[in-house]
């Protein structure tokens, strides 16, 4: 699905260094690291947001930049949800469909069905600023999913939520994965989140991917001292 080969990118004074890894079709994949480690830059790179770099990023064997944006079939949910504050919930969700040229009636029906699926149809005429964190998160997910993405990217999507809402969102993401069959790549600094939700996890430290493993083995001892220190693992 996603192949990254010797990818290096400079963004201001920050450098993402020589990243090589694969993400499988239908996988839930976590990128785990501290603030400033390059997690979001790597996520955005996978989506093709940057132009000047060395190496390659491929989607299904094709360079991501060779695929027209409207044909990449990507959904993206940012940490702050990225909802348009001047648009009501339904209008936010319809936005991507309108950009694809969908007719008004079909657009409305598709958005309504997605809101109903995520349990927010009663919020259709509310503005984002009047919603709880969990409601905003569901709205952001609805907007990303309504275009039927093959890949869903999420940038620290649960960090602002309380523990109970966070658990509900974990369950919702698992259900979305089951229903849509999409590949999900998410960024987190929460060890438990990666271990609980992802099939595999990449640990990134200062712009370098230092470890990729089965998430259930995240805390297994390994030979990278920096990774062990980050995870709080004591060498035996």
């Amino acid at each position: 699905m996603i192949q990254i080969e010797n990818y290096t990118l400079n963004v201001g004074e920050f450098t993402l260094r020589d990243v090589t890894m694969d993400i499988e079709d239908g996988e839930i994949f976590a990128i785990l690291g501290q603030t400033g480690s390059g997690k979001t830059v790597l996520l955005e790179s996978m989506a093709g947001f940057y132009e000047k770099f060395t190496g390659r990023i491929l989607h299904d064997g094709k360079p991501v930049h060779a695929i027209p944006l409207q044909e990449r079939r990507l959904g993206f949910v940012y940490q702050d949800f990225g909802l348009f504050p001047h648009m009501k919930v339904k209008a936010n969700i319809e936005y991507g469909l309108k950009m694809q040229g969908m007719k008004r009636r079909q657009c409305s029906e598709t958005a309504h069905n997605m809101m109903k699926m995520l349990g927010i149809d009663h919020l259709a005429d509310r503005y984002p600023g009047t919603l709880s964190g969990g409601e905003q998160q569901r709205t952001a997910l609805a907007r990303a999913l309504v275009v039927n993405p093959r890949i869903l990217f999420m940038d620290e999507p649960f960090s602002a939520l309380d523990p109970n809402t966070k658990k509900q969102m974990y369950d919702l993401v698992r259900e979305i994965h089951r229903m849509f069959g999409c590949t999900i790549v998410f960024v987190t600094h929460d060890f438990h989140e990666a271990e609980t939700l992802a099939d595999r996890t990449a640990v990134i430290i200062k712009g370098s991917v230092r470890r990729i493993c089965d998430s259930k083995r995240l805390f297994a001892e390994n030979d990278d001292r920096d990774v062990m220190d980050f995870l709080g693992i004591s060498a035996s």
Side-chain angles (χ1 to χ4, degrees):
M1 165 61 78
I2 302 174
Q3 295 171 278
I4 306 176
E5 301 174 355
N6 305 115
Y7 182 83
T8 295
L9 171 72
N10 295 307
V11 182
E13 296 181 357
F14 177 80
T15 301
L16 199 62
R17 297 180 181 85
D18 197 28
V19 176
T20 295
M21 65 184 196
D22 293 344
I23 297 174
E24 299 174 7
D25 192 15
E27 186 171 24
I28 301 179
F29 192 94
I31 302 170
L32 175 66
Q34 296 176 325
T35 299
S37 61
K39 305 185 300 295
T40 298
V41 173
L42 179 55
L43 194 73
E44 292 174 336
S45 294
M46 291 184 200
F49 288 4
Y50 297 97
E51 297 287 341
K52 296 180 180 180
F53 55 85
T54 60
R56 298 199 303 170
I57 294 183
L58 310 175
H59 288 194
D60 293 328
K62 298 179 181 179
V64 63
H65 290 92
I67 305 170
L69 184 60
Q70 66 273 17
E71 296 178 15
R72 293 179 194 172
R73 291 186 58 194
L74 309 178
F76 213 110
V77 177
Y78 276 105
Q79 181 178 357
D80 63 357
F81 311 132
L83 299 172
F84 300 120
H86 62 288
M87 291 184 182
K88 294 180 180 179
V89 165
K90 187 178 180 184
N92 263 280
I93 295 167
E94 290 175 337
Y95 182 80
L97 299 174
K98 290 179 177 178
M99 292 300 100
Q100 292 180 346
M102 184 178 287
K103 292 182 179 179
R104 180 178 296 180
R105 183 173 179 178
Q106 185 182 0
C107 186
S108 178
E109 290 176 354
T110 303
H112 176 74
N113 290 337
M114 181 57 64
M115 288 188 293
K116 190 172 182 180
M117 185 182 299
L118 296 188
I120 55 172
D121 46 317
H122 62 293
L123 303 174
D125 293 324
R126 297 265 298 275
Y127 286 100
T130 70
L131 306 179
S132 69
E135 290 168 342
Q136 289 185 57
Q137 179 63 281
R138 286 174 183 265
T139 302
L141 281 168
R143 188 175 67 177
L145 290 167
V146 78
V147 296
N148 192 27
R150 290 194 62 208
I151 309 170
L152 176 62
F153 294 111
M154 300 191 295
D155 183 13
E156 301 215 33
F158 315 114
S159 61
L161 304 179
D162 64 81
N164 187 52
T165 304
K166 190 177 291 190
K167 184 179 182 302
Q168 293 175 12
M169 294 308 301
Y170 292 168
D171 292 339
L172 178 60
V173 168
R174 292 189 190 97
E175 182 65 11
I176 285 168
H177 184 253
R178 185 190 68 79
M179 292 177 63
F180 286 82
C182 55
T183 301
I184 297 176
V185 186
F186 71 95
V187 157
T188 184
H189 61 263
D190 186 320
F191 304 159
H192 175 72
E193 196 163 280
E195 186 181 33
T196 300
L197 196 54
D199 298 312
R200 288 190 301 149
T201 296
V203 178
I204 184 169
I205 296 175
K206 295 180 180 178
S208 296
V209 173
R210 302 284 286 271
R211 188 178 185 216
I212 301 172
C213 65
D214 185 309
S215 297
K216 292 181 175 59
R217 291 190 52 77
L218 181 60
F219 291 96
E221 188 174 333
N222 63 88
D223 58 5
D224 190 316
R225 182 73 258 173
D226 291 338
V227 171
M228 291 180 66
D229 287 345
F230 168 61
L231 294 172
I233 302 170
S234 299
S236 58

